[in-house]
Amino acid sequence: MRILIVDDEPLAILRIEHAVTGFEGVEVVGSASDAVEAADAVRRLNPDLILLDIQMPGATGLEFAATLVDQGPEVIFVTAFENYAAQAFEVEAVDYLIKPFEDDRLHAAFRRALKRRSALGEVTSPTSKPARYEAAIWAPTKSGATRVPVESLEWIEAAGDYVLLHTATRSHILRGTLTGLEKRLDPTVVRRVHRSAMARLGAVTEIRRDRWRRLSLVLESGSVVAVGEVYQAEVERILSRL
């Protein structure tokens, strides 16, 4: 199992590397000090498991982990803070370890991650794809349901237990999550650009940066969608190829 360590404290990385040593079947393939470095490392190194801190410069570990759900790597949070456990498991973390931890506690988390990946048969690896993506989404109406073609979407917004499907002329609401929709939609057509938003790449007409270098997308209707910090490099790379 290939492991990536993400922590902004070099001593914490060394401590984790030491704890990993001697556990059969795991290998530390790299480390990163923030979410931007971690996103690049995930693309380059294709880790099976990420040991992830929560409090880091820029995006938090929770925000970064939200970008990884259903994308391949498992996540174990390793943090000095006890009060983020509920949010950690909302992004499907394998485990939540409080610093300082005993080596046995980390090894138990490794075994859980190995069992989870074995049960999944590696079907969530970044190279795997569903056999068929949906061409439309059925949204409820007062009288039944209406078919919303994916090609008519501009962007999709998270709203608690619901998602809003925005087209150029109207919006539709349905119960569900962005993570659930990501499984159903072709990522080369509709892409996660923020922990709370997805955008249809073909609807993007302009990329903007404000004075603080924050990225946003202008869509065909004139709507503007903010791009999360951890998504910016990947969004720019993909759009540059269109």
Side-chain angles (χ1 to χ4, degrees):
M1 184 165 60
R2 296 164 57 81
I3 294 177
L4 173 69
I5 303 171
V6 183
D7 198 303
D8 63 334
E9 298 180 4
L11 288 178
I13 292 176
L14 291 174
R15 166 73 179 89
I16 295 171
E17 287 179 340
H18 178 75
V20 170
T21 301
F23 188 83
E24 187 177 355
V26 301
E27 173 193 8
V28 176
V29 295
S31 63
S33 61
D34 57 38
V36 174
E37 288 184 6
D40 178 66
V42 168
R43 287 192 294 271
R44 291 186 293 102
L45 303 173
N46 192 26
D48 301 305
L49 173 66
I50 300 176
L51 301 180
L52 181 59
D53 193 13
I54 286 183
Q55 295 286 5
M56 301 185 297
T60 68
L62 289 167
E63 291 171 326
F64 176 62
T67 71
L68 300 172
V69 175
D70 300 317
Q71 299 301 307
E74 303 288 354
V75 172
I76 296 173
F77 283 100
V78 183
T79 177
F81 299 91
E82 299 181 358
N83 54 323
Y84 294 103
Q87 296 98 310
F89 291 108
E90 287 177 2
V91 294
E92 302 183 13
V94 172
D95 211 334
Y96 190 90
L97 276 60
I98 304 297
K99 302 174 183 176
F101 54 85
E102 298 295 329
D103 290 359
D104 287 348
R105 180 69 180 85
L106 180 62
H107 293 172
F110 286 164
R111 288 190 289 271
R112 186 175 295 113
L114 283 166
K115 287 180 180 179
R116 196 149 108 168
R117 291 190 71 81
S118 177
L120 291 172
E122 301 293 333
V123 295
T124 57
S125 66
T127 57
S128 63
K129 285 190 176 183
R132 182 174 178 270
Y133 292 111
E134 296 184 16
I137 301 169
W138 286 94
T141 65
K142 290 182 179 179
S143 58
T146 185
R147 184 177 183 273
V148 184
V150 171
E151 63 185 15
S152 73
L153 293 172
E154 285 206 330
W155 67 294
I156 304 173
E157 179 182 12
D161 294 331
Y162 295 85
V163 292
L164 301 175
L165 309 177
H166 298 294
T167 71
T169 56
R170 64 165 297 179
S171 298
H172 308 268
I173 187 169
L174 68 154
R175 191 173 185 86
T177 64
L178 289 186
T179 298
L181 281 180
E182 279 189 292
K183 298 176 184 177
R184 298 161 54 187
L185 302 177
D186 187 341
T188 65
V189 177
V190 181
R191 191 84 179 186
R192 191 81 166 256
V193 298
H194 192 279
R195 64 177 179 173
S196 300
M198 300 171 68
R200 183 170 64 83
L201 301 177
V204 178
T205 60
E206 184 182 350
I207 302 174
R208 290 180 181 171
R209 282 194 183 276
D210 63 16
R211 59 186 294 186
W212 295 280
R213 304 295 294 167
R214 293 177 301 198
L215 194 70
S216 60
L217 306 177
V218 181
L219 307 179
E220 292 171 342
S221 67
S223 298
V224 179
V225 178
V227 178
E229 182 178 359
V230 298
Y231 299 88
Q232 290 188 11
E234 183 69 5
V235 168
E236 286 188 296
R237 183 185 67 81
I238 292 170
L239 289 175
S240 69
R241 296 180 176 181
L242 297 180

